Amino acid sequence: RMMDDEKTTVAELKRLIRQFIDERNWTQFHDPKNLAMSIAIENAELMEHFQWLRTDQLDGIRSQPDTMRQIEDEVADILCYLLSFACAMDIDLASVLAAKMERNRKRYPVEKFFGRYERSDRESH
C-alpha cells in the first residue's frame, strides 16, 4: 500500500527501515555512534540548501522541483537514520515525543509564551 503521514504508523516506518538494513546485513554498521553521526551529517546536508538564502527567499524554494526533491531526499535520509537509531537504542519515538512535549508545555506555558519565544532557562523567576 502507498505510505503517507495520515495512515502510516511509526512502527511501520521502523519495520521498513529494519527490513532494508537486514536485507543488506548492515546492522553491524548501524551502532548508535555511527547513526548519531549520520543524523548530524545528513542534517548538515539539509542545511546547505538554506545556507545563503535570505528569509524572503525561502518561500521560493517550494516552487523549485529539483531543489524540493533534494530537500525531500535529505529529510528522508535524516528520518531513516533517526528511525534506525531509535531501533538500535530501543527508543519508542511516540512515547518520548509525547513526554518531551508535556515537559515543554510546563516549561513554555501559553500564557507566558504566546506569540513570542525566549528560552525559559534565561527568564527571571
Side-chain angles (χ1 to χ4, degrees):
R1 79 177 168 94
M2 187 71 170
M3 296 182 116
D4 66 32
D5 286 353
E6 293 295 320
K7 298 180 187 96
T8 307
T9 67
V10 175
E12 288 174 309
L13 294 174
K14 283 181 169 182
R15 277 193 296 276
L16 179 69
I17 296 304
R18 271 195 303 266
Q19 179 183 5
F20 182 86
I21 292 166
D22 290 347
E23 288 171 349
R24 288 153 183 81
N25 191 28
W26 286 354
T27 305
Q28 59 187 317
F29 308 116
H30 282 229
D31 64 42
K33 178 199 69 80
N34 288 338
L35 293 166
M37 291 174 64
S38 296
I39 292 166
I41 291 164
E42 294 299 337
N43 189 60
E45 290 178 10
L46 174 63
M47 290 187 301
E48 280 184 308
H49 290 282
F50 301 92
Q51 185 173 11
W52 301 112
L53 295 180
R54 295 182 318 269
T55 303
D56 63 341
Q57 295 174 303
L58 296 177
D59 287 339
I61 291 175
R62 291 184 189 92
S63 64
Q64 300 171 17
D66 289 341
T67 302
M68 280 301 297
R69 186 195 52 74
Q70 293 170 14
I71 289 170
E72 290 166 354
D73 282 350
E74 299 305 343
V75 169
D77 288 341
I78 294 165
L79 182 57
C80 286
Y81 286 125
L82 179 61
L83 290 165
S84 187
F85 183 87
C87 290
M89 296 295 292
D90 295 321
I91 294 172
D92 183 294
L93 291 169
S95 65
V96 298
L97 178 61
K100 178 65 175 179
M101 293 310 298
E102 185 56 35
R103 288 191 301 276
N104 284 346
R105 278 186 193 89
K106 291 175 183 167
R107 186 174 178 186
Y108 301 101
V110 172
E111 56 277 1
K112 287 176 84 175
F113 290 91
F114 186 81
R116 69 179 194 90
Y117 175 78
E118 181 180 322
R119 289 195 41 166
S120 67
D121 59 349
R122 292 188 184 150
E123 277 195 344
S124 58
H125 295 279

